[in-house]
């Protein structure tokens, strides 16, 4: 596999993950929004500046994303008690429940739908499981 094929595979798997992790009646999350959510879940109580530094996004993007997530009840914000000018972001219970529910989903049905062949989908699922064990453990 060359680098070009790797990038195509990454794009395919990213799209597959997005398809499995969203409900059809919801607008799809952008990769930037996903990165901010992931950072907030991994580092609860972080300031906008901290999230900006870790994600590499500009401060205005992080602030706007946090405001949208807060409006949807997925993130809670509070002033930092040590410096009231700073805003701290926490994942809401609703977000944590949503993540838990969606994390239990598997890609097998989506693979079958995309590939149109149950045997090929089963084999692709096995290969992805093996790849995850090799690379992520």
């Amino acid at each position: 596999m060359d680098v070009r094929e790797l990038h195509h595979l990454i794009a395919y798997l990213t799209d597959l993950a997005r398809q499995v992790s969203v409900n059809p009646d919801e607008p799809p999350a952008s990769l930037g929004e996903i990165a901010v959510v992931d950072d907030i879940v991994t580092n609860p109580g972080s300031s906008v500046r901290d999230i900006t530094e870790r994600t590499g996004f500009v401060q205005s993007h992080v602030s706007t994303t946090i405001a949208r997530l807060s409006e949807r009840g997925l993130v809670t914000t509070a002033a930092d008690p040590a410096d009231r000018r700073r805003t701290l972001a926490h994942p809401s219970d609703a977000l944590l429940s949503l993540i838990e529910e969606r994390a239990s989903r598997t890609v097998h049905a989506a693979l079958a739908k995309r590939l149109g062949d149950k045997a090929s989908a089963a084999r692709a699922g096995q290969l992805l499981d093996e790849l995850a064990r090799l690379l992520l453990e």
Side-chain angles (χ1 to χ4, degrees), residues 36-51 54 66 75-81 86-92:
V36 171
V37 166
D38 182 57
D39 190 83
I40 292 169
V41 170
T42 304
N43 306 284
S46 291
S47 69
V48 171
R49 182 178 181 177
D50 294 337
I51 297 166
R54 285 190 297 265
I66 289 172
V75 170
T76 61
T77 59
D80 183 346
R86 291 177 8 136
T87 298
L88 305 180
H90 296 270
S92 69

Side-chain angles (χ1 to χ4, degrees), residues 64-124:
T64 301
T65 299
I66 289 172
R68 279 197 311 263
L69 293 168
S70 182
E71 287 172 8
R72 292 170 46 202
L74 300 175
V75 170
T76 61
T77 59
D80 183 346
D83 181 352
R84 308 277 311 153
R85 295 170 297 174
R86 291 177 8 136
T87 298
L88 305 180
H90 296 270
S92 69
D93 290 341
L95 175 61
L96 296 175
S97 294
L98 192 63
I99 290 170
E100 185 176 326
E101 182 270 323
R102 292 179 183 192
S104 66
R105 297 177 183 176
T106 65
V107 301
H108 301 289
L111 284 170
K113 183 177 178 182
R114 283 206 174 178
L115 298 174
D117 172 20
K118 287 186 179 184
S120 295
R123 178 70 179 133

Side-chain angles (χ1 to χ4, degrees), residues 10-22 106-112 114 128:
I10 291 167
Y12 182 90
L13 293 175
T14 299
D15 186 53
L16 183 66
R18 222 187 271 170
Q19 178 186 342
V20 172
S21 63
V22 299
T106 65
V107 301
H108 301 289
L111 284 170
R114 283 206 174 178
L128 287 172

